[in-house]
Amino acid sequence: MIRPRCVVLAFALCLASPTAPASETDADCLMCHADRDLTSASGKTLFIDENRYGLSIHGQAGLSCVDCHADLAKVEDFPHAEKIEPVDCSLCHEAEKSAVAASVHGRPHQAANASIVVSCKECHGTHDIRKKDDFDSPVFAINIPDTCERCHLGLVQTKRGGDFIRVYNESVHFKAAKKSGLSVSATCATCHGAHDVRAAADPESRVGRKAIIRTCGRCHAWIERDYLEGVHGKAHVKGLENVPVCTDCHTEHAIQTAETLSSSVYATRVASVCSRCHDDENLARQFGLITSRLRTYSDSFHGTASRFGATRVANCASCHGFHDIRNSADPRSSIHPANLSATCGRCHAGAGPNFAKGKIHVVSEKTEAKGAYIAKIFYITAIGGLISLFCLFIAVDLARRARTRWKAKKSP
Amino acid sequence: MESQKEPLSEEALIRDDEVFLRMNLAERLQHILLVISFTTLVLTGLPLLFYELKIFKSIFGSARAFQLRGFLHRAAAVILIVDSLWHVGYVAFTRRGRQNLKDLLPRRKDVRDAVQQFGYNLGLTRFLHRRGIGKKFFARRPFWLFEKEPEYGRYNFIEKLEYLSVVWGSFIMILSGFFMWNLELSLRLFPLWVHDIFVIVHGYEAMLAFLAIIIWHMYNVHLNPEVFPMSKVWLNGKITGRELRTLHPLEYRRILEERRKALEPESPTWS
């Protein structure tokens, strides 16, 4: 937010000289800084492109050099000292400055060889600052990934490393922004915020486990609605830990559409995603879940085929739904006994009431599927018995033949 | 002329190198179709039981390969069904087929043969007898000494067991497989738990059949020193007089008897 005093100042200046942004003082500065070859002792260019500054938001507002470089306003001796005070943007942009100060970027980051503090110019640039809806602005939605990745791919890595950031560049959000030019697609700032970026563990973070539902729901509104109606969402609202939120299934940065082969929720990968929790003993105890979901699914044709990469077989989501998964006792659940023929019927045309007369995900056949259990025991006994008999017979037969041969050799 | 009244020697009636037809063309074709369909069914079916094995994953590890697997499995199933129907027709409508079936039916002698063959191979009771153990028992029941190998007819107990297993197995597999193939039909007729039994039975019967073939059948027709490396009957259908005499002595003697009768004057009183 720009402080009103500054706006009035800028407006007045605009009115006074709308076409010539350079004030008298600016002209003084440009006497030297308009020289393309002007460099500091260390060889850094000190050239200021007057035209580009004129196009910048501050140039258009008519701010003069010393409005920002306030310490130079009173300098009489030129050239001025090489070391000058850093520009304090908070003179006008106080709210932003304090938001950044409270964010992860407000604290010095201990990089490999130096501690790094992120200042405004790291993201916004210096003399060439553009409005955020200017295509050339480093903070224009589609340019944001480049701006953030300048640091976060190499120089400054978060706890989870560079790859954690890099996979964003393969995500559906990145592609929508970069390839399709969709400025409303999620880039870094969409989820993490701009000035108030916080670590996910921070309770005020937009990407923490608590807030992520709302963050994703800002764009994916009906998915948020469905999620909040399902078992996961209801438990989440109650404040329970260990309840899956968006990122648990979809991953954070590498989000892909479910149809993409590398997606974490691609048809053949759904089972392993769900079973991370649904086969976990601790969570099972906490929530009273039944485990062995993956094994019992894998043992079925659906599961086996899925393991081989078949996508036209049912995975967890095909029957249970995904965002609004409901308990089977809920009449609106896709696996409520009354809805099973409709659910199964989506693939098995004409599925009748018999689809509900039996159990899916049978953990203990002994108690849950007696018929199958008896058949299994019968066959295990038969196979074990017959094959041992065969082997025994063959062994004895071979032994006898060997004996006969040996005897024949000994006494021809 | 006097010598002609003497019964002809076995040698003269059945020469060692005389060729007998053990499997005719139809039977051989039925067997070849069975080999083709069985092998394909096993190879395309086992991956479903052993989905963890890397080898199956590398072969069928894509949606298309897996789809092809299913297609091949059902194609082989159709071959097996056609083959089975042909065989049923063959057994029902040909004289030879009916005779084969009759010869293949299990009898009490087969159990006795199996015990005798095993006991003979083991030789334990002969050993005990030599040591003077159980003399009284063996004097009363000399069978248990297993001094001789059993004499087999056209089909020995091993062959009968294999044949009946194939009949039983094919019936089970075709029935359960048919309902697995036509899941919607199956669940119109049966509740899910019955269908689950089909699935379980199909898998375990397959394991049983696979192991039985790999161990029992392969030993008896390939690895058995008597026929090693392979009995060629399934290819040329031929068996020699010598083989008939040693492997199927009862059939050998039956043929011998038939030939003797044919040569004898119809009734000595007429001459």
Side-chain angles (χ1 to χ4, degrees):
Chain A
M1 191 55 63
I2 301 167
R3 281 197 281 176
R5 182 168 60 85
C6 291
V7 176
V8 172
L9 173 76
F11 189 65
L13 284 165
C14 273
L15 281 182
S17 51
T19 49
S23 70
E24 252 182 68
T25 339
D26 286 359
D28 292 342
C29 300
L30 288 169
M31 273 171 65
C32 298
H33 287 283
D35 178 5
R36 286 182 182 274
D37 300 326
L38 186 69
T39 56
S40 70
S42 58
K44 209 174 108 191
T45 181
L46 297 173
F47 168 64
I48 307 293
D49 188 332
E50 188 187 356
N51 291 329
R52 286 192 71 81
Y53 177 72
L55 290 172
S56 81
I57 185 169
H58 292 142
Q60 284 188 334
L63 295 190
S64 65
C65 305
V66 292
D67 286 334
C68 295
H69 296 286
D71 57 324
L72 295 179
K74 298 193 182 83
V75 172
E76 301 276 322
D77 297 334
F78 289 96
H80 58 80
E82 191 158 304
K83 191 113 179 106
I84 59 171
E85 289 287 312
V87 171
D88 182 6
C89 302
S90 71
L91 286 176
C92 298
H93 303 284
E94 197 189 336
E96 286 79 0
K97 178 86 182 178
S98 58
V100 171
S103 78
V104 282
H105 291 141
R107 293 187 296 276
H109 178 86
Q110 297 304 324
N113 43 15
S115 84
I116 296 166
V117 186
V118 182
S119 58
C120 310
K121 67 181 180 191
E122 251 69 62
C123 303
H124 291 279
T126 51
H127 299 111
D128 196 19
I129 294 172
R130 308 288 182 112
K131 282 169 83 171
K132 75 169 182 194
D133 52 5
D134 186 318
F135 292 165
D136 291 332
S137 165
V139 294
F140 177 65
I142 295 178
N143 296 333
I144 282 206
D146 298 333
T147 304
C148 299
E149 286 172 2
R150 269 213 322 269
C151 291
H152 285 287
L153 279 190
L155 190 62
V156 184
Q157 292 191 353
T158 55
K159 274 180 202 143
R160 295 181 58 180
D163 282 335
F164 181 56
I165 314 286
R166 193 169 294 113
V167 289
Y168 171 75
N169 291 6
E170 280 135 40
S171 75
V172 64
H173 288 142
F174 178 85
K175 280 179 197 145
K178 284 285 181 184
K179 301 239 162 81
S180 311
L182 199 63
S183 63
V184 293
S185 180
T187 60
C188 316
T190 321
C191 302
H192 292 277
H195 297 118
D196 56 346
V197 176
R198 284 159 192 270
D202 188 324
E204 280 182 60
S205 166
R206 299 177 199 221
V207 293
R209 296 189 67 79
K210 262 201 116 56
I212 190 74
I213 303 295
R214 190 74 272 282
T215 299
C216 297
R218 284 215 332 271
C219 295
H220 300 280
W222 277 17
I223 290 172
E224 183 188 3
R225 182 198 63 177
D226 287 350
Y227 171 82
L228 291 174
E229 282 183 13
V231 279
H232 293 145
K234 281 190 178 133
H236 173 77
V237 169
K238 278 184 209 156
L240 290 176
E241 298 262 331
N242 298 328
V243 171
V245 294
C246 314
T247 47
D248 288 312
C249 304
H250 292 278
T251 73
E252 294 93 344
H253 292 142
I255 296 176
Q256 301 281 9
T257 62
E259 292 77 27
T260 311
L261 202 64
S262 57
S263 168
S264 60
V265 291
Y266 185 68
T268 55
R269 221 164 280 130
V270 168
S272 66
V273 168
C274 298
S275 57
R276 276 214 313 268
C277 296
H278 284 274
D279 264 359
D280 185 295
E281 293 293 336
N282 290 329
L283 290 175
R285 225 168 293 132
Q286 185 184 347
F287 291 100
L289 306 174
I290 311 166
T291 51
S292 319
R293 300 296 81 185
L294 184 62
R295 179 178 65 74
T296 52
Y297 168 70
S298 297
D299 283 348
S300 76
F301 179 78
H302 289 151
T304 311
S306 177
R307 275 175 168 242
F308 282 103
T311 52
R312 288 188 59 202
V313 290
N315 57 52
C316 314
S318 317
C319 306
H320 295 276
F322 27 100
H323 297 127
D324 59 341
I325 297 170
R326 289 158 194 273
N327 190 299
S328 63
D330 183 336
R332 286 176 68 192
S333 165
S334 53
I335 56 157
H336 185 272
N339 301 333
L340 274 180
S341 37
T343 301
C344 301
R346 285 214 302 271
C347 298
H348 299 289
N354 276 344
F355 272 76
K357 290 180 191 157
K359 282 206 106 184
I360 309 279
H361 285 307
V362 173
V363 182
S364 155
E365 276 157 342
K366 199 172 176 178
T367 52
E368 292 178 284
K370 283 223 177 71
Y373 179 71
I374 291 167
K376 204 171 175 175
I377 294 298
F378 169 78
Y379 269 106
I380 289 174
T381 318
I383 291 172
L386 279 174
I387 300 304
S388 338
L389 270 183
F390 290 163
C391 290
L392 181 67
F393 190 92
I394 290 169
V396 173
D397 193 55
L398 281 173
R400 194 261 303 168
R401 285 172 201 281
R403 223 164 44 226
T404 316
R405 206 186 227 182
W406 182 62
K407 268 187 192 158
K409 245 186 209 165
K410 225 171 69 172
S411 53
Chain B
M1 294 312 264
E2 231 6 73
S3 63
Q4 272 193 350
K5 291 220 168 136
E6 289 286 305
L8 276 163
S9 69
E10 284 186 16
E11 268 301 306
L13 281 170
I14 301 179
R15 287 195 327 275
D16 264 5
D17 56 352
E18 186 179 345
V19 168
F20 290 85
L21 185 68
R22 185 158 170 81
M23 286 176 88
N24 71 12
L25 186 63
E27 289 157 4
R28 272 165 11 232
L29 281 176
Q30 285 167 20
H31 180 258
I32 286 171
L33 282 180
L34 186 64
V35 171
I36 293 170
S37 61
F38 184 87
T39 312
T40 314
L41 285 164
V42 166
L43 290 180
T44 55
L46 277 188
L48 293 186
L49 289 180
F50 301 99
Y51 50 78
E52 309 263 18
L53 286 188
K54 277 229 173 74
I55 171 138
F56 290 139
K57 256 196 196 146
S58 55
I59 299 173
F60 298 113
S62 77
R64 190 163 298 178
F66 189 77
Q67 215 173 358
L68 180 67
R69 179 215 63 82
F71 174 77
L72 287 175
H73 195 77
R74 289 184 291 270
V78 169
I79 296 177
L80 179 68
I81 292 169
V82 168
D83 193 28
S84 301
L85 290 177
W86 180 12
H87 182 69
V88 168
Y90 177 80
V91 166
F93 299 117
T94 67
R95 180 192 290 268
R96 188 182 154 91
R98 280 193 297 272
Q99 185 58 47
N100 280 348
L101 180 67
K102 222 194 247 167
D103 293 340
L104 276 162
L105 287 180
R107 293 170 202 284
R108 183 170 293 195
K109 178 180 184 298
D110 295 311
V111 181
R112 204 183 144 88
D113 284 354
V115 173
Q116 189 177 347
Q117 182 72 65
F118 183 77
Y120 172 79
N121 288 345
L122 195 63
L124 179 66
T125 49
R126 286 199 301 281
F127 173 79
L128 291 177
H129 185 64
R130 276 204 305 280
R131 291 281 159 114
I133 300 168
K135 272 220 156 92
K136 260 190 193 160
F137 175 83
F138 290 123
R140 249 182 299 136
R141 294 187 177 78
F143 167 76
W144 291 96
L145 269 175
F146 305 125
E147 303 236 55
K148 270 192 227 149
E149 278 192 86
E151 296 195 312
Y152 298 119
R154 180 162 167 75
Y155 299 112
N156 63 25
F157 72 95
I158 294 172
E159 289 154 338
K160 287 184 179 188
L161 182 65
E162 286 187 13
Y163 176 77
L164 294 170
S165 303
V166 169
V167 171
W168 157 263
S170 302
F171 175 73
I172 293 287
M173 294 307 276
I174 290 172
L175 183 80
S176 57
F178 174 81
F179 284 117
M180 287 163 75
W181 187 352
N182 299 287
L183 174 101
E184 280 90 358
L185 172 71
S186 172
L187 286 173
R188 256 204 304 283
L189 300 174
F190 312 108
L192 182 63
W193 66 267
V194 171
H195 184 82
D196 284 343
I197 296 179
F198 291 147
V199 178
I200 291 278
V201 163
H202 201 80
Y204 279 97
E205 180 68 41
M207 280 308 305
L208 178 56
F210 173 60
L211 289 175
I213 291 293
I214 279 287
I215 296 172
W216 193 230
H217 191 59
M218 288 300 119
Y219 175 72
N220 289 314
V221 299
H222 287 282
L223 299 178
N224 188 328
E226 225 155 62
V227 293
F228 189 83
M230 181 180 74
S231 158
K232 289 196 188 69
V233 177
W234 72 287
L235 291 173
N236 57 26
K238 289 171 189 163
I239 185 169
T240 62
R242 202 177 106 88
E243 284 168 324
L244 201 62
R245 198 177 66 231
T246 54
L247 299 176
H248 307 282
L250 296 183
E251 192 191 11
Y252 173 83
R253 258 179 263 150
R254 184 179 55 74
I255 296 171
L256 205 65
E257 215 46 50
E258 275 173 14
R259 292 192 176 175
R260 263 206 191 114
K261 267 200 189 125
L263 281 178
E264 267 173 23
E266 301 222 343
S267 168
T269 48
W270 286 15
S271 60

